[in-house]
Structure formats: C-alpha cells, structure tokens
Amino acid sequence: MKNIFIITFALLITACGSGTEKETSTEAINGTENIVILNKKQLTAAKLSIGKLEEKIIGSFITANGTIDVPPQNMISVSVPLGGYLKSTKLLPGSQIRKGDIIAIMEDQQYIQMQQDYLITKAKLAYSKSEFERQRELNSSKASSDKVFQQIQMEYNTLRITLNSLEQKLKMINIKPESITENNISSTIKIYSPINGFVSNVFVNIGKFVNPSDVLFELIDPSSIHLNLKIFEKDLNKLAIGQKLIAYSNNDPTKKYAAEINLISKELSAERLAEVHCHFENANKNLVPGMYMNAEIQLKNDSKLAISEDAIVNFENSDYVFVQKSNNTFEMTPVKIGTLENGFIEVINAENFKGKQLVTKGAYTLLMTLKNKSEEE
C-alpha cells in the first residue's frame, strides 16, 4: 500500500472545482468528518474506479528460521585404518575436492612389512600348492599316508587364508595386491577423496603420527544439504510433507531459495520447538553448513474476500477504505486487512462491506482532499 500523500493531485482536484459549481466540501455525519463530496468536474478529474469485494485465492505464511545442515551420510571423517605419519597434504579448510583426488600421503614402516609378508606368503603358497597336488596324487594311489597328505593340505589352506587376509589389509590402505613385486615395495600410501565437495576441518600437520582411530580431515558433500527449521508446536499441525517454502539469508534477503518440507520431527525441545527438514530445489555453493536462514512457509491457499491493494489507505497508523454513498459522495470507513498477494489484500471484516461499492482506485486522492479541506476549515 502507498503511504505517501500525493498533495499535488489533491490540489488539482480543488482547482478543477472552481467556477459556478459547488466547491468540494466535508460534512459531519454521525459526529465524524469522514465524508467527501465531489462536484462533476472533480469526479471526472479524480478518475476513480469503483468495485466490490471479490473472492480471491490468497495464501498465508508461517515465518521461521533455522540453519543449513548436512545429513550424516554427506559428512565424511577421513582416517587411516593402520595409522602412520602424515608425509604430505595440501588441504585447507574450505578447499574444493573431487572424488578420487589424492588428499594425503602417509608413510610408515609397517606398510613395508605388510607388502613383504604378502610377497613371502604368495611365494610359499605357490610351493605349497604344488606340494599339495603332488601329495594328493600319491595319496590317491596309497603311495603316501593319509597323515602326510592332511598335514600338507592344512599348510596349504592356512597359507591361502593368510594371503587373502593380507590382500584385504592392503586394499584398506589403497595398495593393489596384484601390482606388488619385489622391485616396487613402497613405504608410503595414498589417501583418496571419497566424495565431491569441500574440506570443513583439518586436524593434522606434516610429520604428525596418527592412530587408526584419529580423524585427519572432515569432508562435506554439499549435494544434499538441507534447511533445518525450528517450528513452534502451535504451527506443526499446519505443515505437511511436500509443502513449499522460500528461504533467504540475512546477508542477502533478496536472493530467494525455493525448498520443500521432506521431514517433520515428532520430538519437541524444551522450548516447545520441533525440527522441520527441508530440501532445496536448487542449492548452490553460497549455501554452506551452519548458515543462518529465514523462511516463509506457504500454507494452504484459501478463497477469501479481498480488495485491490490500491483501495486501502493508511492514516495515523490505521487502515481505511472509501465506501460510495452516492454517485459523488464517499465515506472513509475503517477496515481490517490480512494477507497481501498478487495485488489483492484480504479483508478480515468483510461482513461490514457486504454489497457495498468501494473505491478501488484513487482512494488516496479522496483522503488528501478530505484532510486538506478539514485543515482549511
């Protein structure tokens, strides 16, 4: 609604009224000075539009606030299963990473020992396999005893288990067992990024020894960030899965982010607040975990009696409309308004205006004419 009085236009109407016709006047009706009477020329110059309350689909909103959050499956803690010394890394908090990038190189003598054990076990298994097959043939023809064959079989199976165990341990530290030879045993291993995203925390420095339980880095995949809103208990029954909302930050309130509700918590905090999780339709890099956000949640759209936004005037912190009493007579009447949407505003006390004609355009011109004339008297 406009809150600036257009004085020049009001003066124009007064000027148009000069001549033989009756001047614009204000009259006291029922003890109030709220009537405007225009002569023919003034009525023409004012270019008023007249209409009634209309049924309009107007939605209402719940305002809320919360923060950007990341689901547990999108927050990765990187550690080294066997521990070791950090030899090199270029990561800093905020660094962008891609899946498969080398994010650190670790060094330790146990990596050498594990590769050595693997190659020795592999060589022993090859010999044991040959011996097992030979003893099996001998045993089938009773050329060797069952005891000897069982002993060889046990050694062969034990080596197979040991080799398979070493293979799995090597894979855990990103060493391909099939690529190991006696000529390429290495004291270092590489740590690769498991996701696309960015680094949120770095907990180590070059040369530091880390245990298997220590976290080196925390990584975040922002592809599934969501908005975690705090909703008062009284508003929970107004919300539903799939409901639309608009979110924006305090830093840039003009930038709007569309989202929808995908989870409503069933647990209330001590402040009688519940968590409502919302999925962004188009998240971008400007949305980072922990960012404070505001939100407007659209409730069910209802058909309500409304009037054009231009029909409402504000005077001394109260809202009014002009009711047409006759062709050229208008009464300023208090009105209670609600939600504004698409140029129409809900009229809460609509029963007071049932069947009445209202000024839908030019209401501020009438207000200025009324108040200026009152000041002259």
Side-chain angles (χ1 to χ4, degrees):
M1 293 179 294
K2 307 179 186 64
N3 288 300
I4 300 176
F5 294 161
I6 310 174
I7 298 177
T8 56
F9 194 68
L11 293 176
L12 176 62
I13 294 179
T14 303
C16 292
S18 61
T20 58
E21 296 191 52
K22 183 180 179 180
E23 296 288 339
T24 303
S25 64
T26 59
E27 299 180 1
I29 296 179
N30 297 327
T32 64
E33 296 182 350
N34 59 357
I35 297 294
V36 179
I37 300 176
L38 302 180
N39 61 37
K40 185 176 180 181
K41 289 184 178 179
Q42 293 167 339
L43 191 63
T44 301
K47 297 181 179 180
L48 304 179
S49 294
I50 309 298
K52 295 182 179 181
L53 296 183
E54 301 179 46
E55 289 279 348
K56 292 289 181 181
I57 301 297
I58 295 180
S60 55
F61 298 86
I62 292 176
T63 57
N65 55 63
T67 55
I68 301 296
D69 204 356
V70 180
Q73 62 268 26
N74 286 66
M75 183 175 292
I76 311 297
S77 296
V78 178
S79 58
V80 182
L82 300 180
Y85 294 90
L86 180 63
K87 184 176 182 179
S88 69
T89 184
K90 295 182 179 180
L91 294 190
L92 292 172
S95 297
Q96 296 292 319
I97 53 174
R98 296 188 63 82
K99 186 175 182 178
D101 287 349
I102 297 173
I103 58 177
I105 295 178
M106 306 296 297
E107 186 174 39
D108 198 88
Q109 62 180 0
Q110 65 177 317
Y111 308 150
I112 300 174
Q113 185 64 52
M114 189 177 296
Q115 293 169 82
Q116 176 185 323
D117 293 345
Y118 173 78
L119 291 175
I120 291 174
T121 303
K122 187 176 181 180
K124 287 182 177 179
L125 181 61
Y127 171 78
S128 180
K129 182 179 180 181
S130 298
E131 184 63 16
F132 169 72
E133 292 176 350
R134 190 176 71 86
Q135 289 295 330
R136 183 170 56 183
E137 291 180 3
L138 293 173
N139 183 258
S140 63
S141 61
K142 302 301 180 181
S144 67
S145 65
D146 290 341
K147 182 177 180 180
V148 172
F149 174 68
Q150 290 172 358
Q151 181 69 28
I152 295 298
Q153 186 179 37
M154 182 191 68
E155 292 176 0
Y156 173 62
N157 290 335
T158 299
L159 288 170
R160 288 176 60 192
I161 294 170
T162 302
L163 186 67
N164 186 59
S165 176
L166 288 168
E167 285 180 351
Q168 298 308 312
K169 289 180 180 179
L170 288 169
K171 289 177 181 178
M172 287 179 65
I173 57 175
N174 298 319
I175 295 179
K176 296 180 180 179
E178 63 274 13
S179 66
I180 302 174
T181 68
E182 64 273 16
N183 298 319
N184 67 356
I185 294 176
S186 174
S187 63
T188 61
I189 62 171
K190 298 174 181 178
I191 307 299
Y192 299 95
S193 171
I195 61 169
N196 295 320
F198 63 91
V199 181
S200 62
N201 283 298
V202 177
F203 299 106
V204 291
N205 53 269
I206 304 300
K208 183 176 182 178
F209 179 81
V210 294
N211 294 304
S213 59
D214 294 337
V215 176
L216 282 69
F217 315 105
E218 281 186 353
L219 313 178
I220 290 179
D221 177 3
S223 62
S224 295
I225 62 173
H226 62 266
L227 178 59
N228 185 1
L229 294 176
K230 306 295 183 183
I231 304 296
F232 285 103
E233 178 183 10
K234 64 182 180 64
D235 293 325
L236 280 178
N237 63 345
K238 303 174 184 177
L239 304 183
I241 303 299
Q243 210 158 345
K244 303 295 184 179
L245 61 111
I246 297 295
Y248 55 93
S249 68
N250 289 333
N251 295 332
D252 187 6
T254 61
K255 179 64 175 177
K256 307 293 185 179
Y257 298 93
E260 69 175 35
I261 297 174
N262 62 355
L263 179 64
I264 301 175
S265 174
K266 303 301 181 182
E267 183 177 356
L268 295 174
S269 67
E271 295 80 19
R272 313 307 295 172
L273 295 170
E275 292 186 354
V276 174
H277 299 271
C278 312
H279 176 72
F280 287 104
E281 293 183 3
N282 291 295
N284 61 36
K285 64 180 181 180
N286 295 325
L287 299 175
V288 296
M291 178 183 288
Y292 183 88
M293 300 287 285
N294 301 298
E296 295 178 352
I297 305 172
Q298 184 175 358
L299 302 181
K300 181 181 179 181
N301 289 335
D302 293 322
S303 178
K304 299 175 181 177
L305 286 172
I307 194 73
S308 169
E309 179 185 5
D310 294 332
I312 309 296
V313 295
N314 185 274
F315 179 70
E316 295 181 348
N317 296 321
S318 296
D319 297 310
Y320 299 90
V321 293
F322 280 90
V323 178
Q324 186 179 43
K325 308 299 290 183
S326 66
N327 184 53
N328 67 335
T329 305
F330 307 90
E331 180 181 7
M332 189 171 75
T333 307
V335 65
K336 295 181 181 179
I337 59 175
T339 305
L340 170 65
E341 188 171 329
N342 298 325
F344 281 83
I345 192 163
E346 175 190 2
V347 176
I348 296 176
N349 59 336
E351 66 278 1
N352 295 346
F353 305 99
K354 186 176 181 180
K356 296 181 179 180
Q357 297 284 346
L358 308 178
V359 175
T360 58
K361 183 179 179 181
Y364 263 101
T365 301
L366 295 180
L367 177 64
M368 288 301 301
T369 303
L370 176 64
K371 298 308 173 185
N372 288 341
K373 187 64 179 179
S374 296
E375 291 174 1
E376 292 174 4
E377 295 180 347

